[in-house]
Structures are given as structure tokens and as C-alpha cells.
Amino acid sequence: MLDRLQALADRYEKLSELLCDPDVASDPKKLRDYSKEQSDLQAPYEAYTEYKQVSEQLDEAKIMQNEKLDEEMREMVKMEIDELSARKAELEEHIHVLLLPKDPNDDKNVIVEIRGAAGGDEAALFASDLYRMYMKFADTQGWRVELLEFSESDLGGFKEVIFMVTGKGAYSKLKFESGAHRVQRIPVTESGGRIHTSTSTVAVMPEVEEVEIEILDKDIRVDTFCSSGAGGQSVNTTKSAVRVLHVPTGIMAQCQDGKSQNENKAKALQVLRARISDIKRQEEEAKYAGERKSKVGTGDRSERIRTYNYPQSRVTDHRIGLTLHKLDSVLNGDMEEIINALTLTAQTELMERENLV
């Protein structure tokens, strides 16, 4: 581990030199690539720097402990050794996590799709609750949310809503949200006061660049139609809404929220690339499903992952057995505790597979 860390530290320091080179500073691509690489190495570099300092201080304290000391000084040295040993152990654990293979999508923006599933109008209303929850969580993270497409139900919920979340680490924090979310409550449509169970599905997909998934013009069919719903004077008067079909896969995407046909086509293609990439990823996951089963799941939207129980003000994540009795807080965007627990579980699983524990 130490050899690997030293190699990372050497590369970090080399990048610092390169970034001061006038030739690099005048080359936007090199400047961008080197800056990103150094940013990715910064956390392990800082942890390793502190680890070396703590190790040196600990060695010095142990040497001092063997010298002739009065009782008071010996007790002070012992306390310092205990503190440094604890800190060294913490850093070792932290470094193990930092050295885990990184998901290449973690720093990407995401496209999120929420659909009302079982439960009719109540499922659509719950889908809108989930949308608001993610909106509020994104706000706490300083992320930007852009609505791409939506379809409302008669009672004002969402039959379907698709949006993009832009911000550092968006995928790393939202990737475990894919799956079926279940709600237990008395629906507004229920006159008898009985508790019903409904579900909405969530799919979280990393944004895919054009160079990652190439969509050829000959492989798509583009249809235009009039927008519907709120949107200003152009609604129902111009064919600005766009539907794009990827013929080889049968995957479709549409967008009508933009002001122009070109804008809507670009957004629809963005969603289309993400969906094609997501299917490929799930196919890859399926190949290994028989070999290992992850607690946090594979992102399949049919997998039941969480229950929101209104009478008990309870949120339960079934994958890790976590139950929180603060439903209102979670629905208002306070998701950090759930996300941290899921991330820790995923990291532990990965450490076990990498034989680091």
C-alpha cells in the first residue's frame, strides 16, 4: 500500500510542476487534463502526507518512551503515543477507502427518471413527492436541476418526470436511488381512511457524452409535435416538441420543455444516450449477478429498495436494514444519513472483494 501511495504522491508533485510550465498553461486541453488528474489525487496525497507525519511523530514518541523520564513526562508521552496510534489507524482506514477502484461515473451529472407505478393517481402523487425530495436534496448540495420532460396526472402528480442534476459528485450520491420506492399512507382519493400501498420507480443514469455513445443520424427517427401544458405562447402553436427513436434498440426519448426544436432535440438525444448506456451497464451487471450479490443492488428499477410509511413517520431502506423515524425530514431533502450508510456499505463490499479487510 505504501509503495502505491508514494507513487501517487510523486505523480501529484510532478503534476504541480507541470501546471506551472508555461507550455502547459498555454494548452487548454493539457491544463484541463492535468488539473483534473491532480484534483483526483489530492485526497490520497493529503492523507498520505499526514500519515507519514503521524508515523514519524509516533516513532519519535516511542523512542522517547525508552529514555529515562520522570513519571509526569512518561505519562505525557504515553498519552501522545495513544493519540498518534489512534490517528494512524484512522488514516489507514481512510486511505484504504481512497485507494478503492473509483467508479468512473461518480463525478458525472445525472439524468433521473421517476415514474408512478402501482397505485394509479396515488403513485403519481408519490412520484411528485420524490421529485420534490430530490430537488431539495440537490439544493442542499449546491447542484442545479433542469427539468427535461414530464407528464402530469389528473390530480397534479407526475405519471413521469425526467430531470438532469448538474454538480460535482451528483452520481456518486444519487446512484443508489435507482429502484422501486414504496409508500404506505391514506390516499387523498380514499374516503374510508384506509392505508394503501403504492409504488414509484426511480432510475438514475450518469450523463453520457457524445464521444462515449455515438448515435448515428441513420439510426434515429425524429418526430416533431406540438408541446402541451404550460410553456408560453409557443405551446400548441409550433411543433417544437421532439421525439427521437433509436431504431437499432427501440429506445425512445422525447423533450418539449425547451423553447426551440433544436434545444429539445439536443435534450432528447442526451436522455437517449443515457438510456442506451444504462441498458449496457445493466447487461454487464447481469453477467456477474450469479457470482456476487451486492446489498445495495444493481440499479434495476424493479428492485424494491425503500419504504416511506406515513402513519409511523418511518423510512426504511430494505437493502441495508436502515430505519429512520423522520419521514418529514427525509422528504424535505435530509437524505445525507441514508446516502452515507449506503455508500459505506458499498465501500465495505468493495474492500472485501479487493481483500483489503
Side-chain angles (χ1 to χ4, degrees):
M1 182 185 79
L2 294 180
D3 290 342
R4 185 178 172 191
L5 283 167
Q6 187 58 55
L8 289 175
D10 292 343
R11 179 58 181 168
Y12 182 91
E13 290 168 0
K14 178 62 177 178
L15 288 166
S16 295
E17 295 177 13
L18 289 169
L19 288 170
C20 294
D21 188 324
D23 291 337
V24 172
S26 61
D27 186 329
K29 186 178 185 306
K30 283 186 178 180
L31 187 63
R32 182 178 64 251
D33 291 347
Y34 289 159
S35 296
K36 185 182 185 309
E37 185 182 356
Q38 189 184 55
S39 177
D40 291 340
L41 293 176
Q42 185 171 351
Y45 175 79
E46 290 177 350
Y48 178 50
T49 299
E50 184 182 355
Y51 177 83
K52 288 194 297 182
Q53 292 173 346
V54 169
S55 296
E56 290 172 4
Q57 292 169 5
L58 182 59
D59 290 341
E60 291 171 0
K62 286 180 178 178
I63 292 172
M64 185 180 297
Q65 191 178 38
N66 294 325
E67 297 176 354
K68 292 183 179 180
L69 303 172
D70 59 41
E71 194 62 33
E72 184 179 355
M73 180 61 74
R74 184 172 298 279
E75 185 62 28
M76 288 178 63
V77 171
K78 183 181 179 303
M79 288 177 59
E80 184 179 8
I81 289 174
D82 290 343
E83 290 174 1
L84 289 169
S85 297
R87 182 56 183 159
K88 184 178 179 180
E90 288 176 1
L91 286 167
E92 285 176 348
E93 185 175 348
H94 180 51
I95 287 170
H96 276 147
V97 172
L98 292 174
L99 291 180
L100 289 173
K102 188 176 180 182
D103 187 332
N105 294 319
D106 272 354
D107 287 333
K108 288 188 175 182
N109 305 324
V110 297
I111 293 174
V112 184
E113 299 180 350
I114 306 175
R115 291 183 175 86
D121 284 330
E122 171 61 9
L125 289 170
F126 180 50
S128 66
D129 292 335
L130 291 175
Y131 171 67
R132 283 192 292 272
M133 178 180 76
Y134 294 129
M135 287 275 287
K136 291 181 178 181
F137 177 67
D139 189 52
T140 68
Q141 303 299 304
W143 298 336
R144 183 169 64 86
V145 176
E146 180 184 8
L147 188 63
L148 299 178
E149 181 66 20
F150 67 94
S151 173
E152 290 183 298
S153 69
D154 293 338
L155 294 181
F158 285 128
K159 295 177 183 176
E160 174 187 69
V161 58
I162 304 170
F163 56 98
M164 173 172 279
V165 181
T166 303
K168 185 174 176 59
Y171 185 75
S172 68
K173 292 201 171 187
L174 293 176
K175 61 184 175 182
F176 300 126
E177 292 302 298
S178 290
H181 295 242
R182 182 174 69 170
V183 63
Q184 295 172 328
R185 65 185 178 189
I186 300 172
V188 293
T189 55
E190 173 59 47
S191 58
R194 293 175 299 173
I195 296 173
H196 283 221
T197 298
S198 304
T199 58
S200 293
T201 62
V202 175
V204 178
M205 302 170 291
E207 182 184 17
V208 179
E209 302 293 336
E210 290 184 42
V211 294
E212 297 176 77
I213 296 288
E214 184 180 14
I215 298 178
L216 303 176
D217 288 340
K218 67 181 182 64
D219 289 337
I220 61 173
R221 192 183 76 204
V222 180
D223 297 317
T224 59
F225 56 99
C226 293
S227 302
S228 60
Q233 294 180 350
S234 64
V235 173
N236 290 323
T237 60
T238 61
K239 290 188 175 182
S240 61
V242 174
R243 182 184 298 111
V244 181
L245 171 67
H246 188 243
V247 177
T249 61
I251 298 173
M252 183 182 297
Q254 69 179 45
C255 185
Q256 63 175 2
D257 198 55
K259 295 180 179 179
S260 69
Q261 193 178 108
N262 286 339
E263 185 180 344
N264 283 327
K265 181 182 177 183
K267 290 181 179 179
L269 286 171
Q270 209 170 24
V271 174
L272 194 65
R273 282 193 295 269
R275 287 177 176 170
I276 293 171
S277 178
D278 190 54
I279 286 177
K280 289 183 177 181
R281 180 190 61 79
Q282 291 199 42
E283 287 173 351
E284 288 296 316
E285 286 280 355
K287 291 180 183 179
Y288 301 101
E291 300 176 19
R292 62 176 176 85
K293 177 61 179 173
S294 169
K295 286 182 181 178
V296 293
T298 61
D300 188 333
R301 69 183 68 187
S302 65
E303 176 188 11
R304 189 191 72 178
I305 64 168
R306 195 174 299 146
T307 293
Y308 305 75
N309 184 291
Y310 275 66
Q312 298 175 18
S313 188
R314 169 174 59 83
V315 179
T316 298
D317 196 289
H318 304 289
R319 296 164 293 182
I320 55 176
L322 175 67
T323 294
L324 302 176
H325 290 278
K326 54 176 188 177
L327 176 64
D328 288 345
S329 181
V330 171
L331 289 174
N332 277 311
D334 183 11
M335 301 175 60
E336 204 72 53
E337 187 172 353
I338 297 174
I339 288 170
N340 288 343
L342 289 164
T343 301
L344 180 60
T345 299
Q347 288 173 343
T348 302
E349 290 177 353
L350 191 52
M351 289 177 73
E352 290 172 351
R353 292 204 298 273
E354 297 288 321
N355 296 317
L356 292 174
V357 293

